[in-house]
Amino acid sequence: MTGARHRVVVTGLGVVTSIGTGVDAFAAGLRAGRSGAKPITAFDTTGFAYSNACEITDFDPEAWITGQSPDDLGRAAQFAVAASRMAVADAGLTEEQVRAVRSLVSVGTTDGESRDLDHLTGLQVSGGDDVLDAVVARRVWPGRLSAGIVRELALEDVETVTVPTACAAGNYAVGYGYDAISSGDVEMALCGGADALCRKTFTGFYRLGTIAPDVCRPFDADRQGILTGEGAGILLMESLESALARGARIYAEVLGYGLSCDASHPVAPDRDSIARCITAAHRNAGIEAADVDFISAHGTGTRANDVTEVGAIRQVFGEELPRTVSIKSMIGHTMGAASALASAACALALRDGFIPPTVNHRTTDPECAVDCVPNEAVEAELKVVQNNGLAFGGNNAVLVLGRWDTAA
Amino acid sequence: MTTQIPALDDAARTQIKDIVCDILELELDEVSDTSLFKEEHDADSLRTIEILASLERTFGITLKQSELSRMVNLAGVHAVVAEAKAQ
């Protein structure tokens, strides 16, 4: 295909998080540095010495899901469908308008409906195969995360993708949407990520020694690991022509993204590979490192991630690092939703002119010395922001967003 | 600490060797008390955590993750498990 590529903009945001559902509540939570950390109620935590997570305790699926029975969807798909409805409404669109154009739905995830698998496994252990719940078993297929959105909005001319690249999956899904719109394959895309708290993932991270006993403190000398989280972030993206033609409010322009897949270790991040990914994103976005006004880091708050990630950033940026924050300090590690929610946070930061803080911060670790905007958001004129998503298996995806100026 | 820690009995040593060989997929005669899990038996960090978890279950003990740095071979595991059992 030849011809000019389309510019891609974000015009709608849908978010379900432990610090607020809906774009206004989320934006207010980011500015205030709110924390979603609390004791887990999603499953029995007997036997664990500590068990905090950033759980969502006020989500009402019936308030959002009207095109199908919420019971036909697992919790992650419910989050994804709810966030999509929010994003469509936030973009000032009706579902008929989305239905009328060629579109893409791509949703990233780490665990799919592992919450349901926990439940089914429990049934199987206690009662054998005959007691399995057919309704729950049917909704385990992770394809439902994206298919549930398509069904809800009754889309027909649509490509439907669930992207299983773990904790970088949200950025992968948004990057795929960027490609689909910029190449002219589709006019609109609903892209992001979703995951629900589950015992399997909590236990796995706990066993690896990476769950913090109290709160998540990225870049802190006393950091002790992650808190698991849950939620969904969905971005409604469209071509600039489409947005301008309908007079849409534009949050940000998607300037580009980069990927790197090194597969060098099951869980340990690889600094060189992350640096390659950042450089690829800058090249794709047509920017220089010096253009980046702040980095939304993967910033899990584990010993391994923060040092390796900052090392990779330093490899690309030299000694002058932009401010580097982690919203996981507020909403926990939402796995497949993480980089999608961080993308939404970056879009809000660009529109509203602020940098979200890294909360729970006491003393910055000299080994990952960055200005992490400790505890209090700062006002800032922003033009370009970088959002890192790094995943197990060396699946890395970095997204670059820019402020949209009518004068530009 | 000046308290003498009782040595592990043969049954416990056998159990530990079985666990390590099972997880590292080795024959019993491939492992000596001093052969190194990582350098000589291709263990990675996930396998060593699996060994730690299995020891906790088998002996009803709690092992700090920091003890992994001593658990480089069977002799190291014996020392760590003996200390944990004595507590």
Side-chain angles (χ1 to χ4, degrees), chain A residues 324-350:
Chain A
T324 299
V325 306
S326 171
I327 68 164
K328 287 185 179 71
S329 60
M330 294 179 261
I331 62 169
H333 193 340
T334 55
M335 305 292 152
S339 50
L341 284 167
S343 300
C346 288
L348 286 166
L350 283 164

Side-chain angles (χ1 to χ4, degrees), chain A residues 206-210 265-267, chain B residues 44-46 49 52-53 56 65:
Chain A
Y206 188 96
R207 188 72 269 179
L208 288 170
T210 54
H265 190 277
V267 297
Chain B
D44 62 27
S45 56
L46 292 178
I49 284 176
L52 181 141
E56 288 189 336
Q65 203 120 28

Side-chain angles (χ1 to χ4, degrees), chain A residues 2-373:
Chain A
T2 54
R5 289 175 74 84
H6 302 269
R7 294 173 73 172
V8 180
V9 291
V10 179
T11 55
L13 298 174
V15 291
V16 183
T17 83
S18 58
I19 60 166
T21 288
V23 65
D24 293 337
F26 182 53
L30 291 172
R31 266 190 187 270
R34 207 168 287 151
S35 167
K38 58 181 87 65
I40 291 173
T41 64
F43 49 85
D44 182 11
T45 57
T46 308
F48 294 99
Y50 42 84
S51 52
N52 280 353
C54 294
E55 186 172 346
I56 298 169
T57 49
D58 59 357
F59 178 66
D60 175 14
E62 293 186 355
W64 303 101
I65 302 168
T66 55
Q68 57 199 317
S69 166
D71 289 343
D72 285 343
L73 299 168
R75 186 167 168 88
Q78 288 181 349
F79 289 155
V81 171
S84 296
R85 276 234 177 261
M86 290 175 213
V88 170
D90 186 53
L93 289 163
T94 63
E95 54 190 281
E96 288 77 16
Q97 284 173 296
V98 182
R99 208 175 292 149
V101 299
R102 179 172 291 183
S103 62
L104 164 75
V105 172
S106 70
V107 181
T109 190
T110 293
D111 291 311
E113 301 295 6
S114 290
R115 171 85 151 254
D116 283 339
L117 284 172
D118 285 351
H119 173 66
L120 291 169
T121 306
L123 288 176
Q124 200 166 18
V125 168
S126 63
D129 293 343
D130 294 342
V131 300
L132 291 186
D133 180 330
V135 173
V136 175
R138 263 200 303 275
R139 66 191 193 202
V140 163
W141 177 56
R144 285 220 178 174
L145 270 59
S146 47
I149 296 169
V150 168
R151 189 175 179 191
E152 178 73 17
L153 300 173
L155 305 180
E156 289 179 357
D157 193 4
V158 59
E159 182 184 2
T160 310
V161 189
T162 296
V163 185
T165 43
C167 304
N171 268 355
Y172 270 83
V174 173
Y176 186 49
Y178 167 80
D179 282 341
I181 295 169
S182 66
S183 65
D185 283 352
V186 303
E187 276 181 58
M188 280 186 194
L190 284 160
C191 302
D195 259 307
L197 275 189
C198 68
R199 185 187 166 101
K200 182 265 303 177
T201 293
F202 175 80
T203 309
F205 278 95
Y206 188 96
R207 188 72 269 179
L208 288 170
T210 54
I211 299 275
D214 51 359
V215 294
C216 172
R217 304 178 194 284
F219 313 116
D220 196 290
D222 298 322
R223 68 191 183 283
Q224 289 179 284
I226 70 166
L227 288 187
T228 54
E230 63 180 353
I234 297 286
L235 281 59
L236 190 137
M237 304 190 294
E238 58 192 303
S239 66
L240 179 62
E241 299 93 303
S242 160
L244 292 178
R246 66 183 190 85
R249 176 262 336 265
I250 295 173
Y251 282 99
E253 178 172 6
V254 184
L255 297 176
Y257 73 106
L259 306 176
S260 69
C261 305
D262 57 78
S264 65
H265 190 277
V267 297
D270 183 275
R271 193 183 68 184
D272 291 344
S273 171
I274 298 166
R276 263 201 320 279
C277 187
I278 296 171
T279 305
H282 291 177
R283 196 186 316 121
N284 186 238
I287 61 153
E288 303 287 332
D291 296 329
V292 175
D293 291 314
F294 84 87
I295 297 174
S296 162
H298 189 60
T300 55
T302 62
R303 299 238 146 246
N305 176 85
D306 295 2
V307 170
T308 310
E309 184 176 13
V310 172
I313 293 170
R314 188 160 278 130
Q315 217 166 303
V316 177
F317 286 78
E319 287 311 302
E320 286 290 305
L321 301 189
R323 282 179 280 202
T324 299
V325 306
S326 171
I327 68 164
K328 287 185 179 71
S329 60
M330 294 179 261
I331 62 169
H333 193 340
T334 55
M335 305 292 152
S339 50
L341 284 167
S343 300
C346 288
L348 286 166
L350 283 164
R351 187 196 65 173
D352 295 345
F354 75 103
I355 304 180
T358 303
V359 302
N360 309 317
H361 199 76
R362 296 189 295 217
T363 314
T364 306
D365 182 354
E367 274 200 89
C368 43
V370 288
D371 176 355
C372 68
V373 186

